[in-house]
Amino acid sequence: MPFQSLSLCVDLYGCPNRCRHCWLGHMPNRAMAPDADARIVERFKPHFERIAFYSWLREPDFCPDYRARWERDKALSVNAVPKRFELASFWRLVRDPDYAPFLKELGVPAVQLTFFGLEETTDRYVGRKGAFRELLRATELLLDQGIRPRWQGFINEENREELVSLLALSEELELPRRCEALGGEFRFFVHTGSCDGEARKLYPIWIRRDHIPAPLIPHFLDYDALWPERELCRLWRDAPGSAAPHNDGEELVLYVSNEYDLYFNFTHMRPEWRIGNLNEEPIDELIRRAVEEDTPALRAARAVPLGELVQRYGSPASERAFSPEDYQAYLLNRHLEQLSL
Ligand code: SF4
């Protein structure tokens, strides 16, 4: 077994949002059986030395008893402690006065909050009226506890100028000074996100590299690794390798949907990417498929050269900005959609 460590992320509670950039894709919130968590871990236990168990893969702490839930996640983990990733639920932050103190108790130093521009745009992209005001309120609640907010913005052609206004708002609210007073820096960053899941629908308004407003460039995540689509098409026109993603770390990360379907953490959770079903198939076979990357999507991905994907699905005149990894995933998913897997 090449992997000794497993991170197991189970969609036990779902998510209050329906973001337009959601790379996982939208899924209904559905309650799983009360003992689903323990049963799932038991199936993997004989095969891994370490298992970090997460009761969420969409919104952390989106269950009423998040305190007990955190203790249970730790207790179910095997020779491992689940991480917090500086993530939290802004939905819960504004609804539950005990939640921000709970994050403080855990020693969470910073929490990421996601914006899509100003009020109307953020509400529309999160899929909930009031989301923007909740994000501002969550910012204050975190600061009150000595936790630094970190503002993340997803950029496209529609909201690029609003993100400049959002940066100005963070300065008006004196977030850099207030975070510095807490002993750290305020981070404001923007990026495109990946072009899969719901975000695939944003391709028509995907940001052009030359349209990124100058004030945002110093805040752009991995700006230097951003290419215009036409340039990636030119570079890869005859590329022989494949665009298949591959697990080359020491840890395997597996997602479990609320219907017990098993997925890698590579891209969206669509049927073609399913490894198998935990209720219907033997665990040995599911682990073999995961370790050997023997799934229909990955077999199909390895069978087609990157150059062919570019010739079939690339737009050689497009200025849209992509990282090479995200663009490969976009091309591959377009290809997989053409096949009936
Ligand atoms: S991006 Fe995150 S918060 Fe938004 S819908 Fe997807 S899982 Fe929920």
Side-chain angles (χ1 to χ4, degrees):
M1 163 70 86
F3 301 101
Q4 308 299 312
S5 299
L6 170 69
S7 274
L8 200 50
C9 310
V10 184
D11 191 22
L12 273 173
Y13 304 99
C15 177
N17 308 319
R18 292 292 176 270
C19 305
R20 289 193 179 195
H21 78 297
C22 186
W23 65 282
L24 293 168
H26 291 169
M27 293 171 276
N29 295 346
R30 201 180 274 125
M32 296 178 79
D35 63 344
D37 51 1
R39 280 197 293 116
I40 291 170
V41 174
E42 280 307 314
R43 298 200 67 196
F44 286 94
K45 246 184 194 169
H47 303 273
F48 294 90
E49 270 179 31
R50 291 173 290 279
I51 301 177
F53 179 82
Y54 297 85
S55 54
W56 60 278
L57 59 83
R58 292 193 277 164
E59 179 89 336
D61 304 320
F62 183 46
C63 70
D65 202 353
Y66 49 86
R67 221 172 243 284
R69 184 66 256 179
W70 170 240
E71 293 304 321
R72 187 158 168 79
D73 283 12
K74 287 191 289 180
L76 285 169
S77 296
V78 180
N79 300 322
V81 181
K83 301 186 184 105
R84 296 294 310 184
F85 300 112
E86 301 188 353
L87 297 175
S89 168
F90 77 91
W91 181 91
R92 181 160 299 290
L93 267 168
V94 300
R95 285 169 177 79
D96 182 339
D98 297 328
Y99 183 49
F102 166 71
L103 297 173
K104 175 72 178 171
E105 255 174 61
L106 294 182
V108 174
V111 164
Q112 183 164 290
L113 299 170
T114 299
F115 294 80
F116 299 87
L118 298 177
E119 184 161 3
E120 187 277 330
T121 312
T122 294
D123 285 3
R124 188 158 44 85
Y125 273 75
V126 172
R128 255 178 338 101
K129 198 152 181 52
F132 180 78
R133 284 176 186 268
E134 289 182 12
L135 287 161
L136 295 188
R137 178 83 190 115
T139 297
E140 296 300 328
L141 290 166
L142 289 167
L143 285 166
D144 288 349
Q145 292 296 323
I147 299 172
R148 282 175 282 123
R150 179 169 63 222
W151 282 15
Q152 159 179 245
F154 282 87
I155 189 169
N156 58 43
E157 288 288 334
E158 183 191 28
N159 70 0
R160 57 193 161 104
E161 293 304 332
E162 277 192 47
L163 288 177
V164 179
S165 304
L166 187 74
L167 175 61
L169 177 62
S170 73
E171 283 153 10
E172 267 168 47
L173 294 172
E174 299 188 82
L175 298 182
R177 181 191 63 72
R178 294 163 79 191
C179 286
E180 203 178 312
L182 296 174
E185 61 163 358
F186 170 64
R187 279 204 65 209
F188 176 98
F189 69 100
V190 292
H191 60 126
T192 62
S194 54
C195 195
D196 44 11
E198 284 300 304
R200 241 305 280 295
K201 297 175 187 161
L202 302 178
Y203 178 83
I205 54 166
W206 209 255
I207 189 76
R208 288 171 52 137
R209 197 175 192 278
D210 56 346
H211 284 180
I212 297 170
L216 297 180
I217 292 176
H219 302 279
F220 210 102
L221 197 65
D222 295 331
Y223 179 76
D224 293 335
L226 215 54
W227 295 69
E229 181 174 8
R230 62 170 168 72
E231 192 62 16
L232 291 171
C233 288
R234 190 186 62 76
L235 280 173
W236 293 343
R237 205 181 148 70
D238 300 308
S242 94
H246 166 61
N247 266 313
D248 54 6
E250 291 178 355
E251 183 189 55
L252 186 62
V253 180
L254 293 177
Y255 288 175
V256 181
S257 79
N258 54 25
E259 293 189 305
Y260 298 85
D261 286 328
L262 200 60
Y263 292 87
F264 293 110
N265 61 340
F266 295 151
T267 179
H268 48 217
M269 293 170 72
R270 297 259 170 89
E272 62 271 24
W273 283 99
R274 207 174 70 122
I275 299 167
N277 186 278
L278 275 169
N279 277 348
E280 295 164 6
E281 297 174 273
I283 192 71
D284 290 3
E285 171 59 9
L286 293 173
I287 291 176
R288 185 199 68 74
R289 288 179 207 162
V291 169
E292 296 177 13
E293 297 177 348
D294 184 14
T295 67
L298 287 170
R299 283 198 299 272
R302 288 190 290 265
V304 58
L306 177 57
E308 195 176 322
L309 293 178
V310 165
Q311 287 174 40
R312 282 202 208 170
Y313 311 108
S315 296
S318 160
E319 294 289 338
R320 292 176 181 84
F322 286 96
S323 73
E325 300 74 31
D326 287 348
Y327 191 55
Q328 286 195 12
Y330 162 76
L331 292 172
L332 177 56
N333 276 318
R334 287 209 48 194
H335 179 62
L336 294 175
E337 283 159 16
Q338 305 297 312
L339 310 173
S340 299
L341 298 175

